[in-house]
Structures are given as C-alpha cells and as structure tokens.
C-alpha cells in the first residue's frame, strides 16, 4: 500500500504513515467483525473505524502540542 502511494506521488514518510494507519484501522474493523455474532457488514465497520479515527484527530485542539523527543 505504501509503495502504491509513493508511485502516486506521496512522500516516503506520508506514504508509510498512511499505509500503517490504514492497516491498523482494518485490523480493528476485522476484529470487530470476527467478534460480532450478527456479522455486521465489514465495509461498514471499516468505515466506522475510519470515522472514529477522524473524530479523534478532529477533536484534538490545535493548541495541544505533541510531545517531542530529543534525538542524539
């Protein structure tokens, strides 16, 4: 997935971050799907997981700084 993003012009770091994030969201949706006796639609669970991620990122106040680490 990261390679495909890079081929489409994404920067190395952005492509890797997007691919890793998408796989994490997919794993979460798949776990919900497996654990659901009603077997909800996997596509819906995937979309819901992305919506949850978007909500977390959107609700983050712009004045909250991410912790920084010093590099040697």
């Amino acid at each position: 997935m990261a390679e495909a993003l890079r081929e489409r012009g994404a920067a190395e770091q952005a492509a890797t971050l997007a691919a890793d994030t998408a796989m994490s969201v997919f794993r979460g949706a798949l776990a919900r799907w497996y654990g659901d006796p009603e077997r909800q639609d996997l596509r819906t669970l995937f979309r819901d997981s992305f919506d949850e991620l978007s909500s977390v990122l959107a609700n983050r106040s712009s004045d909250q700084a991410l912790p920084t680490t010093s590099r040697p």
Side-chain angles (χ1 to χ4, degrees), residues 33-65:
W33 185 73
Y34 279 141
D36 180 9
E38 301 295 319
R39 292 284 191 218
Q40 295 181 55
D41 180 53
L42 181 57
R43 182 182 304 201
T44 300
L45 292 171
F46 188 61
R47 192 174 311 124
D48 289 349
S49 293
F50 264 118
D51 288 346
E52 289 173 10
L53 175 62
S54 294
S55 177
V56 167
L57 296 174
N59 288 331
R60 194 173 174 286
S61 174
S62 62
D63 61 355
Q64 289 178 322

